[in-house]
Amino acid sequence: MLIVHLNTGARKGIILEIENAKLATPDDFLNTAIVNGFNKATNKNLTISEIKQKHYVNKYTNIHFYEDGKMFNLENNMSEFSLGHFTDNYVFIKENLSVAEIDSKKYTRIVSIDFETANSKRASVCSIGFVVEDQGEIIEEKEILVNPQTDFSKMNTRIHGISPLDVQDAPTWDIAWKEVEDYITPSTLVIAHNLRSMELSCIRQECERYDMELPPFAKLKGHNKMAYDTLKIAKENLPDFDNHRLDTLAKHFNIELDHHNALSDANACLELFHHLRGDYATNE
C-alpha cells in the first residue's frame, strides 16, 4: 500500500491509501489515483497539475495510529516521518491502483475478446468471441468460427466442442480477425481473461502467420496502454482466492457462463471487469 498525504490547510488534508501501489508505481497510474481520491474527497474536478500546484503532496509507505485513534504518524521506509497529525483534521480515502491503471487509459469503448484453439499452439485459433460495449451500451456480440488450417487435437475438441467439420467452410484468421478489428478504435480498451499469455499471444502469432500488421494494442509490452487483463485485477483485488480462473470468478459473482464457448467467455469477462472495477454492486 502507498499513502499519499494531500495538504489542504494548516495540519489539515486528505490521506489517500492506494491499495496495490508501491513507490515505483508508474506516474500516470499514481496520478490518476490521486485525482480520483482528491476529487472524491473534495467534490471538485481538478486535474493532477492543479492539485500539485495548490496542495502539498507527499508519499509514504505506512500510517500508524495512536492507541486512542485520535492521532496518527506517517513514515516512508522508516527514514522519513511526518508526526502528530490529528485524525479529525483529515479525510481518509481508499483507492485501488488497478482501477486507477484502468482509468488512466481514458477509453470510451471496451472490446472483450476470447479465443478457442484447435490444439496447444497459439497459432490455431478456431473460434473468436467478442463483445463491444460503447459508452456503457452493448453494440455487438458475436462468435466467429475460424478455419485454423491446422490439425485439431482430441483434447481441445473435448474442451470446446469444435471439430474440423464445424470450421471447414469458415473464414481463416486474416478474414475473421478483421471483423473484430473494425470495432477497435484508438479510444478502445481491449480486455480478456488471461490476455497476456493467451489472447495477445494468439494475435501476435496468427498475424505473423498470415503476414498481417499487428494491431497497435498488441504491439505494446509492459504497461500496455490500451489492453487490460482481468486476471491481473482479479489477483490483486482477490488475493485470498484459491485460484482466479474465469469459471471460479464467474461463480463468485453469479455471472452466467458456458465455459469455453468463446462468446460466453467474452461476455463473462466483460461483466467480471465491471464487478472488479466496482462499477456496480458485487456479492462480496
Side-chain angles (χ1 to χ4, degrees), residues 22 36 87 121 162 172 187 202 205:
K22 300 177 181 178
N36 289 349
T87 305
K121 296 179 180 178
I162 301 170
T172 51
S187 60
C202 286
Q205 291 188 35

Side-chain angles (χ1 to χ4, degrees), residues 226-239:
M226 295 308 293
Y228 201 83
D229 193 337
T230 52
L231 179 62
K232 177 178 183 291
I233 188 173
K235 286 181 176 180
E236 291 177 350
N237 288 11
L238 304 169

Side-chain angles (χ1 to χ4, degrees), residues 71-91:
M71 297 182 71
F72 64 91
N73 298 331
L74 299 167
E75 67 179 39
N76 184 8
N77 293 327
M78 297 297 293
S79 60
E80 298 178 26
F81 301 90
S82 185
L83 308 176
H85 300 280
F86 287 93
T87 305
D88 288 346
N89 290 342
Y90 284 82
V91 176

Side-chain angles (χ1 to χ4, degrees), residues 30 44 79 83 94 137 148 160 176 241 252-253 261 277 282:
L30 181 59
K44 295 181 179 179
S79 60
L83 308 176
K94 288 188 177 182
E137 299 292 330
H160 50 57
F241 274 40
H252 174 73
F253 289 110
N261 172 280
R277 197 195 169 286
T282 72

Side-chain angles (χ1 to χ4, degrees), residues 26 28-29 101 105 195-197 200 204 216-229 232:
D28 52 345
F29 302 166
E101 180 180 351
K105 300 177 187 300
L195 171 82
R196 288 178 290 183
S197 64
L200 283 180
R204 289 166 180 155
F217 75 87
K219 293 178 182 178
L220 302 173
K221 295 183 179 180
H223 294 292
N224 192 315
K225 287 295 184 182
M226 295 308 293
Y228 201 83
D229 193 337
K232 177 178 183 291

